[in-house]
Amino acid sequence: MAGGKLKSGTKHGKHKGKRWKKGHSSDSNPQIRKHRLTAKNRFFNQNVGSSGLTEAALAKHDEISEDREDDITSTEKETGSVSGRTFSTWATNWTECTNTTFSRVHRYASSNSAMHKEILAVLAAVTEVIKASGGKESETEYFAALMTSLESVEGEQSLAAVAYLLSLVMKRVPPAVLKSRFSDIAKALLHVMASHVNTQFTSLLRSIIVCLTSVLRVQDPIVWNDSSTLQIYHGLLALTTHHKPKVRKAAHHAVCVILKGSSFMQHPESPHYHPASSATAKYCIQQIEDTGGTGEATTTLHMLGLLKDVLAVFPQHSVKAACETILRLMTLSNVLVTSVAMQTLHGMFSMQPKASSLPAELNAQIITALYDYQPGENDVQPLTAWLAVMEKAHVNLGRIDAKLCISHLPRIFNSAMKCLLSEKAEIAHVAADTLKILLNNCVASNMAFVKSVLTTAAESIPTPIHKMFRAVEGGLSYQFHAEWGQVLQILAAFFEVLGQECPKMMKKCLVSMADLRDSHRFPYKAELDHAVGVAVRRMGPRLVLEAVPLQITGNEDNYEFPRSWLIPVLRDNIKETELGFFTSYFLPLAAKLRAKSITYSKEDHLVESKTYDALQLQIWSLLPGFCTRPTDLKQSFKGVAKILGSAISDRADLRMTVMASLRKLIQHSLEREDNRTEVAKYAKNFLPILFNVFTVDTEYEKDPTRLAMLETIKTYLQLADRQLTASFCDKCLDKMLGQDIGSLQRHSLMDLAIAMVPHVNKPRLHRMHSFIVLQLESTDKTVQKKSYRILEEICAGKSPESIQFVTGTLTELQKLLLKSLSSSGPSSKAPRLRCLCHIFKNLKSSQHEFLIAVVPEAVLCTKEVGERARTAAYNLLDNMGTAQLTWSNKSQQETIQNYFELVMAGLAGSPHMVSATVLALTRLLYLYKADISRDLLELLVDQACLLLTSKAREIVQSALGYLKVLLSSFGDVDLAQHLKKLVLCLVSMKEDNKHHFRFKAKEIFGRLIRKFSYETIYSMVPESHHKMLVNLRKTQERAKKKKKQGGEYDEDEEEEEKSLKPSFTAESIDDILRDTDSEIDDVDDSRQTKAKKPHKKVAKSGSAWLKETGDDDIVDFMDPGVSKKVLATKPDSSVSSKKAIKHDFKMAPDGRLIITEEKEEMDTKIKKGKNVKEEAMDDLDELLDAMEGNPKKSRKRKMESIEVDEDEAPAKYKAGGSGIHRPIAVGKRKDRTGMGVEYKAKKAGGDMKKKGKPDPFAYVPLDFKQLNKRKRAKAAGQFKNLVKGAKKGAISGKRAKRRK
């Protein structure tokens, strides 16, 4: 359209089309519903409109399907394929091939690729030839036909198709066929490969490579002695340097498969290396020497990539020659070649070659040679790669020869410690990780040899272990202060590995660490505490405290206690050590500190008293650690037992600590018989003390100390002598029968009786039983509950005497429990129900009447408030069902049905009883879902539907839960016939219940949709529920989508860096050298390019820099250490600026120093003080402007440029004029006119209050628009400037007031 605007598709002006009537814009019932019906038909699969599916179309479809099935069946009968399955895609019908070998060809049913169509055409032709000759479509027949086609076909595309099919079938051809026709096959394949080596069809060469690989890998070792075989293999090797990446990658893979995966290499008695491995090594070395790493060194890089995967399977002489060649390459100072060479060595060591390929001596020689190629300390990628190679080399050496590995470790430790001085944090992290890995993999795995070295070596001669530790210990000097955190982590690893074997060597280091910890504002306290804690665990507290004393004696004049940090470290790490050390060292110290605290308390020195009291409590807190598997329990417990008993009885502040220690001691002593006997000796001393303290009246019964004491009593009773326990039980019963004891003491005695029941004999059990019979009807509910607890322990006893007692008194126990039902309180329900559970477990014969009597109680208790009572009720229902199955002679389904009918009798009771019955049925339904018959299921569904229509919310709530379990327990096949009934009852609930339980009902509808599909449920519910179902479906789809996307990384959420673990870890050498990899694979022209995010510009790979030494010396490239001066990363130019001299003088823009006298500085400060008031006035102006609605004026801070002449003093300049010459002093504020002017103060700068008028604030008129959520945000934005100005003015006013 010339000169005009593009016309819009919409009409304007008078013809605006149909519009909503006023007030009807939210209506969703339009008259025209054409597109809505179409969308509904597609999304919900409902044929709402007219359908194009007619009877004639169906008949035609059936006819076509029958014809196709007849064709497939006849084809199968004629060919008699050996295939186990038939493919029925369009490609199969076209090619008529039924062999599963070519399933890959049939996978893409709608490919438009010309190559794919050519493959299908060739396959169809070959299949037709085989069938015409009466073949069975075996792999051998296809192989022969395709080989014939390979020699006769013309055109590269057809040749590529034949080669591809041949590569598929040759993998399944019997090896005998490939061996017998080896020369002919190889000749044909080499001819094709040689004539099309520069073809554009990379798939042709790749398929030929696969075919050659399949032929070569099945040949016997004797065939590889022929020169012709090696000539064929050399043809394959020649493609490893092909200019096409896909061809080169296929050739690399082929070489690896032949050298590693040949058939004779898979046998247990296979040779050490493949016969062609030497030829491979010679070829790689020759190629590298021919190129020499000059220029782009493409061939060299390709050969190094191949060696990375196969170097570990070469013979020894080839490995040595290849490694020498690789090391010579690294002297060229080509960063890219050096990095790939590192990758090659890393790959060889990572594959853990056999000793026949890489002996320990050669491994050690490579390690020694690599020190000449160590990069500079600040070159991140090369140095981290070098450390990774050295790590793998030492680990592999330790696997082969531990002695040689240990002797080489000191040097790598020295080199890695120097790396900690690097300016790059990444290098320090990698170096520390390398040392920790070497300690764990080289030293800890060869601990037997290390122990022999440490024991046989003379004290004057340092072992390699001592040299390693000295190198790391040197890291505590100030030179390494920036990386002390990494040094402490390495020391912690040393303590973990060698702390137990050579503790004397580490004492000096502990002293240095303690001195660092005591220094002012030491930044690595957490790392140091962790390292000392590891030393405490491995060396023991005695040796650690010999090196680093606590420096707490009780005679101090200084109350700072600088070494008090050691106490929590000891508390958290002491275990499996000498208990006698606590007795000899810590107990006297604690006693002295307590005495000191008491003395200061008497002298009214409260601060000192509290300090010493806290210290002695902290020392006692070490006792649980000493009681964790002590090594000298048998010798030391007698020395500490009396003190522990006195602490329990006399020291209320120590009871919890001592009892926790005693429990740990008892639990660990059960593991050894001698320790058990030793601790059991003192039961007669400890138990009376514990009994006496426990039975003393306390302020409240649920004291945590009492609970801990009761647990200690229970633990000690496991070791106590039976006669001793019996005597304690008699005394306890005698006291309980007495009338002169208080209620709390009686409760305590009953708790003791509960603890002793499992350990007493039959006569005492009879006596206990007689006692609790009188107490079950007690008005004291606590006594009643504890009586049931005693009865529960009696019924649950596992000792032979307990079992005999329960069996003999079973009838009496049943009568007792039935009799006491009416008098049992709510708190006694749980133990009472547990007693019934144990009784039903012991009932061997049928007790149907007893079961009928107990069922109502079990059902009602499912509604108890207490969780334990409810759990016990459900367990009782389960036990009763199990008992009935045991008693009954009927089938399991009939027995379960009778049990359900028995429980369902409760549905005729009150609403509370009905609700409880439904809960009981829910539990039983879940337990016995596999044994429920169809009739019983129908009965249960009917009952559920009836209950859902009830008015009582209590019943409906239970019924909904029952329905959820019903849907989850049975499949859709079982519930399909009841589906309509279930849906109808859900939508027919009372209106009150329907609203109250709408969310639970919605959840059940969700289960129904998942089980029976959305369309089925949608068609069954009335229209009033359609909206809810649509919402439910959307919610489910949204949840599915969210679940699929749940594994995505959240960028906003980052984990905090752990103090003891470095954030930088080198995953592999490939990750380290990823940026220096120069190989870029070719991409097909047909592949679409993907949009890339903007990223930082990366330096071109292969770039290198020389390290500046600061003088005029020329870098000598013949120097062996020149690799440290050739950097792969650009050196940081800001390093030198850090070392520049700092000064406090100001700088002019042109770089001159500005030096002012003291008087000028004072004048400047005074001026600055005046400017504060001026700024306050400006802020008040802004506030007034904001109140009046005026736009905010921008106020920029001006800065004078100072230019000082060396000879003359600067002339004073007075501002005047306009523009940049205007006066910058703030004038007086002009009189304002407008709103609020009457509040203006005459003398001050702000506003003032006036009598009879409102306060001078900004009043906002009320507006009904504020009630609208959408318009509320818009209205709120009008006052942002007002609030901001008010805040700024208030802050400035405060500052000005403060300066006054």
Side-chain angles (χ1 to χ4, degrees):
M1 298 180 186
K5 294 183 180 178
L6 292 174
K7 291 184 178 181
S8 173
T10 58
K11 296 180 179 179
H12 299 282
K14 297 180 180 179
H15 304 286
K16 294 184 178 179
K18 293 184 179 181
R19 299 186 62 182
W20 296 109
K21 292 182 180 180
K22 189 173 182 180
H24 292 269
S25 61
S26 62
D27 290 352
S28 59
N29 297 313
Q31 296 175 358
I32 301 173
R33 305 180 64 186
K34 176 182 175 182
H35 299 292
R36 291 173 182 255
L37 290 175
T38 304
K40 199 171 185 182
N41 189 23
R42 291 193 57 169
F43 290 113
F44 302 132
N45 299 323
Q46 293 179 351
N47 296 321
V48 180
S50 60
S51 173
L53 186 62
T54 61
E55 294 182 2
L58 284 174
K60 187 177 180 180
H61 173 75
D62 294 339
E63 184 180 354
I64 293 171
S65 300
E66 289 172 2
D67 293 341
R68 185 173 294 177
E69 289 176 3
D70 293 340
D71 292 342
I72 294 171
T73 307
S74 62
T75 304
E76 288 180 359
K77 290 180 179 179
E78 291 174 4
T79 58
S81 172
V82 296
S83 162
R85 94 182 207 232
T86 302
F87 297 91
S88 57
T89 64
W90 67 274
T92 305
N93 295 331
W94 187 37
T95 63
E96 297 183 357
C97 174
T98 58
N99 195 304
T100 57
T101 305
F102 302 104
S103 60
R104 195 172 180 181
V105 178
H106 301 139
R107 185 179 303 166
Y108 307 102
S110 59
S111 175
N112 294 322
S113 171
M115 187 65 193
H116 189 221
K117 291 179 180 179
E118 184 68 23
I119 292 171
L120 288 172
V122 172
L123 182 59
V126 172
T127 305
E128 187 178 351
V129 170
I130 293 173
K131 287 186 177 182
S133 61
K136 296 181 179 180
E137 292 191 63
S138 65
E139 286 82 0
T140 307
E141 291 172 340
Y142 274 105
F143 167 67
L146 288 168
M147 285 299 300
T148 305
S149 302
L150 189 69
E151 298 174 356
S152 59
V153 75
E154 295 181 358
E156 286 191 343
Q157 189 170 5
S158 300
L159 194 62
V162 174
Y164 175 73
L165 294 172
L166 196 58
S167 67
L168 293 178
V169 77
M170 283 185 72
K171 296 176 182 178
R172 296 195 178 187
V173 173
V177 177
L178 297 178
K179 290 178 182 178
S180 62
R181 308 291 295 173
F182 171 58
S183 58
D184 297 335
I185 298 169
K187 184 178 179 181
L189 293 174
L190 284 176
H191 175 71
V192 175
M193 185 176 72
S195 58
H196 297 85
V197 69
N198 294 319
T199 181
Q200 295 298 320
F201 288 93
T202 57
S203 60
L204 172 59
L205 285 177
R206 290 167 64 192
S207 300
I208 295 296
I209 291 170
V210 173
C211 294
L212 278 173
T213 307
S214 302
V215 174
L216 288 173
R217 70 181 296 271
V218 299
Q219 303 303 318
D220 296 326
I222 193 170
V223 178
W224 285 95
N225 296 328
D226 296 337
S227 59
S228 59
T229 307
L230 290 177
Q231 187 177 359
I232 297 168
Y233 180 69
H234 273 283
L236 196 60
L237 282 174
L239 294 178
T240 56
T241 57
H242 198 273
H243 62 281
K244 291 285 187 180
K246 291 185 179 181
V247 176
R248 186 169 63 248
K249 185 177 180 181
H252 282 201
H253 181 69
V255 172
C256 294
V257 169
I258 292 170
L259 295 183
K260 298 178 184 178
S262 294
S263 55
F264 62 86
M265 294 295 291
Q266 305 299 320
H267 297 304
E269 298 179 357
S270 63
H272 294 297
Y273 49 87
H274 196 279
S277 57
S278 297
T280 308
K282 289 179 182 178
Y283 178 82
C284 294
I285 293 171
Q286 186 65 36
Q287 291 292 321
I288 292 173
E289 289 178 350
D290 289 345
T291 56
T294 57
E296 291 295 328
T298 307
T299 304
T300 302
L301 296 177
H302 296 336
M303 287 296 98
L304 289 174
L306 176 61
L307 287 173
K308 175 186 174 183
D309 296 326
V310 299
L311 188 56
V313 296
F314 285 175
Q316 178 182 346
H317 63 277
S318 299
V319 171
K320 184 176 182 181
C323 290
E324 289 174 352
T325 304
I326 292 170
L327 292 174
R328 283 198 299 273
L329 278 176
M330 295 170 65
T331 60
L332 299 175
S333 299
N334 187 323
V335 174
L336 186 58
V337 173
T338 303
S339 64
V340 179
M342 287 288 184
Q343 278 187 334
T344 305
L345 294 175
H346 185 273
M348 178 188 69
F349 289 122
S350 299
M351 293 174 67
Q352 297 183 352
K354 299 177 182 178
S356 58
S357 298
L358 184 65
E361 293 78 11
L362 180 57
N363 194 333
Q365 290 173 7
I366 295 172
I367 290 173
T368 305
L370 282 172
Y371 284 105
D372 294 334
Y373 306 98
Q374 181 179 351
E377 287 82 1
N378 298 320
D379 210 359
V380 179
Q381 289 178 345
L383 186 54
T384 51
W386 183 83
L387 287 170
V389 173
M390 296 297 280
E391 172 201 316
K392 292 295 181 182
H394 283 85
V395 171
N396 188 65
L397 181 59
R399 182 180 59 86
I400 302 171
D401 190 341
K403 181 178 179 181
L404 197 57
C405 177
I406 297 296
S407 63
H408 278 75
L409 284 178
R411 188 173 181 184
I412 184 62
F413 267 72
N414 286 321
S415 300
M417 288 303 296
K418 291 178 182 176
C419 293
L420 292 180
L421 297 173
S422 171
E423 298 169 356
K424 307 292 183 180
E426 298 94 330
I427 294 176
H429 288 309
V430 174
D433 288 343
T434 300
L435 295 185
K436 288 186 282 188
I437 291 171
L438 292 176
L439 281 171
N440 291 319
N441 294 347
C442 297
V443 180
S445 57
N446 299 307
M447 192 53 66
F449 173 75
V450 172
K451 287 181 181 178
S452 63
V453 170
L454 292 172
T455 52
T456 56
E459 294 185 1
S460 58
I461 301 174
T463 64
I465 301 297
H466 288 78
K467 294 178 182 178
M468 292 157 55
F469 189 76
R470 286 176 186 172
V472 179
E473 188 180 5
L476 294 177
S477 61
Y478 189 76
Q479 186 182 7
F480 294 83
H481 72 281
E483 297 299 332
W484 271 340
Q486 301 295 335
V487 174
L488 291 170
Q489 290 183 34
I490 303 169
L491 286 172
F494 249 113
F495 292 141
E496 185 71 37
V497 175
L498 295 165
Q500 202 167 0
E501 279 68 30
C502 44
K504 294 182 180 179
M505 176 182 70
M506 301 178 178
K507 284 188 176 181
K508 182 182 176 183
C509 178
L510 286 172
V511 175
S512 303
M513 291 168 64
D515 293 340
L516 278 178
R517 182 66 166 74
D518 297 338
S519 60
H520 180 61
R521 299 179 69 178
F522 181 66
Y524 302 102
K525 292 181 179 179
E527 290 88 340
L528 193 144
D529 290 350
H530 172 70
V532 174
V534 175
V536 170
R537 282 201 307 270
R538 301 296 294 169
M539 299 168 59
R542 183 189 295 273
L543 293 173
V544 172
L545 288 174
E546 285 178 3
V548 188
L550 268 178
Q551 296 181 359
I552 299 175
T553 60
N555 301 321
E556 296 88 359
D557 295 330
N558 184 9
Y559 303 114
E560 292 183 359
F561 305 107
R563 292 280 173 85
S564 59
W565 58 269
L566 264 175
I567 296 178
V569 173
L570 291 169
R571 181 194 62 217
D572 296 337
N573 294 280
I574 289 176
K575 63 178 181 179
E576 299 180 14
T577 186
E578 308 166 85
L579 180 60
F581 181 63
F582 181 82
T583 309
S584 60
Y585 182 83
F586 286 105
L587 276 181
L589 179 59
K592 191 171 184 179
L593 294 176
R594 175 172 167 74
K596 196 86 172 177
S597 174
I598 294 171
T599 303
Y600 278 123
S601 178
K602 291 178 180 178
E603 296 174 359
D604 291 336
H605 295 158
L606 297 181
V607 175
E608 291 83 354
S609 174
K610 291 289 184 183
T611 302
Y612 279 108
D613 187 52
L615 273 178
Q616 63 97 16
L617 289 176
Q618 287 184 352
I619 288 174
W620 272 101
S621 68
L622 305 178
L623 181 59
F626 281 98
C627 293
T628 304
R629 293 190 182 90
T631 57
D632 59 342
L633 177 64
K634 193 172 181 180
Q635 296 81 18
S636 304
F637 187 62
K638 57 186 176 183
V640 75
K642 185 177 180 181
I643 299 171
L644 296 182
S646 302
I648 293 172
S649 59
D650 302 333
R651 298 283 304 277
D653 55 338
L654 298 178
R655 276 179 193 158
M656 296 292 283
T657 302
V658 174
M659 288 188 295
S661 307
L662 203 56
R663 289 195 299 273
K664 281 193 173 185
L665 200 65
I666 295 167
Q667 289 166 0
H668 295 306
S669 65
L670 295 173
E671 300 171 1
R672 294 180 56 181
E673 189 60 33
D674 54 345
N675 290 343
R676 179 191 180 109
T677 306
E678 181 67 22
V679 177
K681 287 181 185 177
Y682 297 91
K684 63 181 183 296
N685 305 106
F686 278 104
L687 285 174
I689 295 172
L690 292 169
F691 289 161
N692 292 333
V693 177
F694 184 75
T695 53
V696 172
D697 290 341
T698 56
E699 295 181 2
Y700 56 98
E701 191 172 359
K702 293 184 178 180
D703 186 5
T705 308
R706 287 170 51 79
L707 297 176
M709 196 168 297
L710 183 61
E711 189 63 31
T712 308
I713 291 170
K714 290 179 181 179
T715 307
Y716 220 135
L717 284 171
Q718 299 175 15
L719 302 177
D721 183 59
R722 297 295 179 186
Q723 295 295 329
L724 182 65
T725 307
S727 63
F728 288 144
C729 183
D730 291 337
K731 293 179 181 178
C732 181
L733 285 171
D734 292 340
K735 285 190 175 183
M736 282 192 294
L737 292 172
Q739 302 296 329
D740 55 344
I741 60 174
S743 60
L744 286 179
Q745 191 174 7
R746 186 183 297 276
H747 298 165
S748 302
L749 290 171
M750 295 186 78
D751 286 332
L752 294 177
I754 294 169
M756 285 187 282
V757 165
H759 309 287
V760 296
N761 52 19
K762 194 173 179 180
R764 270 80 185 178
L765 290 175
H766 275 288
R767 194 174 174 192
M768 285 274 191
H769 178 259
S770 303
F771 169 74
I772 61 173
V773 168
L774 303 174
Q775 306 297 328
L776 287 180
E777 298 183 0
S778 173
T779 55
D780 189 344
K781 298 305 178 183
T782 306
V783 172
Q784 187 186 84
K785 178 183 175 181
K786 293 184 185 299
S787 300
Y788 276 112
R789 285 283 294 114
I790 294 172
L791 185 60
E792 179 191 350
E793 292 294 333
I794 292 173
C795 296
K798 296 181 180 180
S799 63
E801 294 180 341
S802 299
I803 294 172
Q804 290 177 8
F805 174 78
V806 173
T807 306
T809 59
L810 201 56
T811 307
E812 297 178 15
L813 291 173
Q814 290 176 263
K815 293 179 181 178
L816 177 63
L817 289 171
L818 291 177
K819 180 183 176 183
S820 58
L821 172 60
S822 58
S823 59
S824 60
S827 60
S828 306
K829 292 291 184 184
R832 174 184 168 80
L833 292 171
R834 289 195 291 266
C835 291
L836 289 168
C837 288
H838 293 300
I839 287 176
F840 273 103
K841 288 179 183 178
N842 291 310
L843 287 175
K844 305 300 180 185
S845 59
S846 178
Q847 299 280 347
H848 194 64
E849 294 180 358
F850 180 63
L851 186 141
I852 293 173
V854 173
V855 164
E857 181 182 4
V859 170
L860 278 172
C861 287
T862 58
K863 294 282 290 182
E864 281 290 331
V865 177
E867 183 182 356
R868 293 182 180 179
R870 294 197 304 271
T871 304
Y874 288 130
N875 292 335
L876 179 57
L877 288 168
D878 186 13
N879 288 329
M880 287 191 292
T882 306
Q884 195 161 8
L885 288 172
T886 307
W887 301 337
S888 178
N889 297 325
K890 300 178 182 179
S891 65
Q892 196 161 344
Q893 283 191 351
E894 291 181 6
T895 307
I896 293 299
Q897 185 164 354
N898 293 335
Y899 185 42
F900 268 86
E901 291 173 354
L902 178 63
V903 176
M904 287 168 67
L907 295 176
S910 62
H912 184 78
M913 184 66 184
V914 172
S915 176
T917 305
V918 174
L919 291 176
L921 288 172
T922 305
R923 172 72 174 212
L924 295 176
L925 179 69
Y926 180 76
L927 290 173
Y928 301 107
K929 55 189 173 185
D931 300 320
I932 292 177
S933 61
R934 289 186 177 181
D935 297 336
L936 180 58
L937 179 60
E938 185 176 0
L939 178 62
L940 293 173
V941 172
D942 292 340
Q943 293 294 335
C945 295
L946 182 63
L947 293 169
L948 282 173
T949 58
S950 174
K951 292 183 179 180
R953 286 186 181 178
E954 190 178 12
I955 297 174
V956 174
Q957 183 177 6
S958 302
L960 288 171
Y962 172 75
L963 203 57
K964 283 173 60 178
V965 175
L966 185 72
L967 292 173
S968 62
S969 301
F970 294 95
D972 51 357
V973 178
D974 299 323
L975 295 175
Q977 57 183 333
H978 310 293
L979 178 59
K980 196 167 185 179
K981 194 187 303 181
L982 290 171
V983 174
L984 184 61
C985 72
L986 276 172
V987 299
S988 302
M989 288 193 298
K990 304 296 181 184
E991 287 299 326
D992 180 48
N993 292 331
K994 190 184 295 185
H995 176 75
H996 190 268
F997 298 111
R998 60 188 182 279
F999 296 113
K1000 291 189 177 183
K1002 189 176 179 181
E1003 185 179 355
I1004 294 173
F1005 272 116
R1007 290 173 182 262
L1008 287 171
I1009 289 172
R1010 288 195 294 269
K1011 193 177 285 289
F1012 296 103
S1013 80
Y1014 171 82
E1015 292 77 12
T1016 306
I1017 305 301
Y1018 189 88
S1019 62
M1020 290 184 177
V1021 300
E1023 191 174 355
S1024 58
H1025 286 68
H1026 285 179
K1027 188 175 180 181
M1028 182 266 292
L1029 290 182
V1030 171
N1031 175 263
L1032 190 57
R1033 186 182 188 184
K1034 290 181 180 178
T1035 305
Q1036 288 180 350
E1037 290 176 353
R1038 197 179 301 119
K1040 286 180 183 177
K1041 191 180 294 183
K1042 190 175 182 181
K1043 188 176 182 181
K1044 288 180 182 178
Q1045 300 173 353
E1048 294 181 358
Y1049 175 72
D1050 187 6
E1051 295 181 357
D1052 297 332
E1053 191 174 352
E1054 297 180 356
E1055 294 183 359
E1056 293 184 358
E1057 187 174 335
K1058 295 185 179 179
S1059 58
L1060 302 180
K1061 290 186 179 180
S1063 59
F1064 177 87
T1065 54
E1067 297 285 341
S1068 64
I1069 195 167
D1070 295 322
D1071 297 334
I1072 296 169
L1073 299 172
R1074 184 176 296 158
D1075 293 338
T1076 60
D1077 191 3
S1078 67
E1079 178 175 317
I1080 303 173
D1081 291 327
D1082 294 341
V1083 183
D1084 293 342
D1085 296 336
S1086 60
R1087 188 176 301 175
Q1088 296 180 355
T1089 58
K1090 298 181 179 179
K1092 296 182 179 179
K1093 295 181 179 180
H1095 58 278
K1096 294 182 180 179
K1097 188 175 180 181
V1098 182
K1100 185 178 178 182
S1101 64
S1103 301
W1105 289 265
L1106 291 178
K1107 183 180 179 182
E1108 295 181 356
T1109 56
D1111 49 17
D1112 296 333
D1113 294 340
I1114 299 174
V1115 177
D1116 184 7
F1117 285 96
M1118 299 299 293
D1119 187 6
V1122 72
S1123 59
K1124 295 184 179 181
K1125 298 182 179 181
V1126 179
L1127 307 179
T1129 53
K1130 188 176 180 179
D1132 191 2
S1133 59
S1134 62
V1135 175
S1136 59
S1137 63
K1138 293 181 181 178
K1139 298 180 181 179
I1141 301 173
K1142 295 182 179 180
H1143 53 77
D1144 295 331
F1145 298 111
K1146 297 179 181 179
M1147 295 282 292
D1150 57 355
R1152 291 178 294 168
L1153 293 177
I1154 300 172
I1155 303 173
T1156 57
E1157 296 182 0
E1158 293 183 4
K1159 186 179 289 186
E1160 294 178 2
E1161 292 179 359
M1162 291 297 294
D1163 294 341
T1164 304
K1165 291 180 181 179
I1166 292 169
K1167 289 179 181 179
K1168 287 183 179 179
K1170 291 180 180 178
N1171 288 338
V1172 172
K1173 294 182 180 179
E1174 294 173 359
E1175 288 181 4
M1177 296 294 293
D1178 291 342
D1179 294 333
L1180 289 174
D1181 290 341
E1182 287 183 6
L1183 177 60
L1184 291 171
D1185 290 339
M1187 291 175 64
E1188 294 175 3
N1190 297 330
K1192 182 179 178 182
K1193 297 179 181 179
S1194 60
R1195 180 164 54 92
K1196 298 181 180 178
R1197 181 171 294 177
K1198 278 76 179 178
M1199 183 174 64
E1200 296 181 60
S1201 61
I1202 304 173
E1203 296 183 359
V1204 183
D1205 196 286
E1206 294 180 0
D1207 299 329
E1208 298 178 4
K1212 293 183 179 180
Y1213 169 76
K1214 293 184 179 179
S1218 61
I1220 60 173
H1221 304 286
R1222 71 188 183 281
I1224 60 173
V1226 180
K1228 292 184 179 180
R1229 190 175 73 253
K1230 295 181 180 180
D1231 294 338
R1232 295 181 179 272
T1233 59
M1235 184 179 64
V1237 69
E1238 64 271 15
Y1239 293 102
K1240 180 188 148 193
K1242 294 179 180 179
K1243 296 181 180 180
D1247 295 333
M1248 59 184 291
K1249 293 184 180 182
K1250 291 193 174 183
K1251 290 183 180 181
K1253 289 189 177 183
D1255 289 343
F1257 299 138
Y1259 291 92
V1260 181
L1262 296 178
D1263 190 356
F1264 71 95
K1265 293 180 181 180
Q1266 298 278 340
L1267 302 175
N1268 192 313
K1269 291 183 179 178
R1270 290 177 297 170
K1271 297 178 180 178
R1272 189 181 301 166
K1274 184 179 179 181
Q1278 297 175 358
F1279 309 105
K1280 282 185 179 178
N1281 290 337
L1282 177 65
V1283 176
K1284 190 174 181 181
K1287 286 183 178 179
K1288 195 170 182 181
I1291 293 170
S1292 301
K1294 283 184 180 179
R1295 289 175 182 169
K1297 188 176 180 181
R1298 215 178 282 140
R1299 287 187 177 91
K1300 289 179 181 180

